[in-house]
Amino acid sequence: MQKLQQLYAGKAKSVFATEDQDYVVLSFRDDTSAFDGERIEQLSRKGEINNKFNAFIMEQLAVAGIPTHFEKLLSANEALVKNMKMIPVECVVRNVASGSLVRRLGVEDGMELNPPVFEFFLKNDALHDPMVNEYHIATFGWATDEQVQRMKALTFEVNQVLKKLFADAGMILVDYKLEFGVFKDEVYLGDEFSPDGCRLWDAETRKKLDKDRFRQGLGGVIEAYEEVAQRIGVPL
Ligand code: CDP
C-alpha cells in the first residue's frame, strides 16, 4: 500500500495516509523523549527496534484475543495500522510501584502491588499528562462509559498475557501505558507497546531494561531494548 502525505507527527512516531482511508502507516523514528518532550535525543536504531518489538507484542496480543490496530510490518521502521480516532486518555496498570506512583504517594519503589493499580491520565503534554478519573472522562466527553469499561478490561487482559510473556523470559513487567482508539464503532488497542512505554526489570537483579535508562541517564538504552527483544524472541 502506497504511503501518502504525513497526517501527524508525535514525539516518537509519525503517521502517514495511504490510498485506503481505513489504514495509515506508523513510522517509528529514533527520537527518544522524556519529561513531556522537554528532553529529546536521537538513539540510533530505536525506531527499528520498537517497530519490530511492537509488531511482535501486538501479534501475541491478537492471538490472545485482544483487538489491536496492528495489521502488518511494512519495513524496518514502518507498520500498517487501522486508521482510528484515538481516545485522548492513557491507561496505566502497575504490578510493582515505581515512577510517578512513588512520587505521588511516597510508597516504596519496588513494592509489589496486589491487586495491580489502574490509573487514567489525560494525554496532554502542556498539562504534563494529569491523572484523571472516570468522572472527568464522562463529563468532558473523552470516551463513553462503555468505552471506559472496555479499555479497563482490555488493559487488564493485556496484563495477564504480557506479565507471563516477560516472566517466562526472566523479567518483571512493572508497569505499562496503553492507548486505545475507535475504528468502525469498536475499541481497539492502538499506539505501541515497547520498552518506551513500560517498565521492565530483570527478575533476578532488578536491572532496568526500559526507558528509565534514558530518563535517569543510566546509558545502555538501546542495548537494554535489544536484550529484552532477544530474550522474548523478537526477530530483529
Ligand atoms: O514515567 P513516569 O514516572 O513519569 O510516569 P508513570 O506514571 O510512573 O508511568 C507509568 C508507566 O507508563 C511507565 O511504564 C511509563 O513508561 C509509561 N508512560 C508512558 O509510556 N507515557 C506517558 N506519557 C506516561 C507514562
Side-chain angles (χ1 to χ4, degrees), residues 42-187:
Q42 304 273 313
L43 294 181
S44 176
R45 296 213 335 113
K46 197 205 61 152
E48 178 176 343
I49 293 167
N50 279 4
N51 182 40
K52 292 175 179 173
F53 196 105
N54 176 62
F56 181 86
I57 296 285
M58 290 278 173
E59 276 165 359
Q60 300 285 318
L61 294 175
V63 167
I66 290 156
T68 88
H69 70 156
F70 181 79
E71 292 288 323
K72 61 176 181 182
L73 275 176
L74 293 177
S75 70
N77 66 340
E78 292 169 320
L80 187 70
V81 300
K82 296 180 183 74
N83 185 12
M84 303 200 289
K85 182 170 191 314
M86 294 304 290
I87 296 171
V89 296
E90 302 182 336
C91 298
V92 169
V93 161
R94 302 174 182 276
N95 297 307
V96 174
S98 201
S100 75
L101 183 80
V102 169
R103 295 195 294 274
R104 257 181 288 126
L105 303 183
V107 296
E108 195 188 338
D109 198 288
M111 174 192 173
E112 194 187 333
L113 302 172
N114 191 12
V117 168
F118 183 98
E119 295 170 337
F120 283 118
F121 296 90
L122 177 64
K123 204 171 151 60
N124 187 319
D125 278 341
L127 297 177
H128 305 291
D129 293 349
M131 186 154 72
V132 294
N133 65 33
E134 295 175 28
Y135 291 87
H136 300 108
I137 297 174
T139 298
F140 299 112
W142 295 322
T144 66
D145 286 345
E146 196 188 334
Q147 289 166 347
V148 165
Q149 294 318 317
R150 186 80 175 129
M151 288 194 288
K152 272 170 81 167
L154 289 173
T155 304
F156 278 115
E157 277 181 43
V158 167
N159 201 32
Q160 289 315 307
V161 179
L162 296 188
K163 238 174 35 175
K164 179 169 189 317
L165 184 141
F166 289 113
D168 288 348
M171 289 171 280
I172 302 168
L173 179 59
V174 171
D175 57 28
Y176 58 91
K177 181 265 301 179
L178 301 181
E179 294 181 29
F180 293 87
V182 180
F183 178 76
K184 299 188 193 292
D185 295 330
E186 288 292 326
V187 171

Side-chain angles (χ1 to χ4, degrees), residues 10-12 29-33 40-43 46-47 196:
K11 293 196 290 289
R29 308 195 312 269
D30 287 343
D31 297 315
T32 311
S33 70
I40 299 177
E41 279 175 37
Q42 304 273 313
L43 294 181
K46 197 205 61 152
D196 268 3

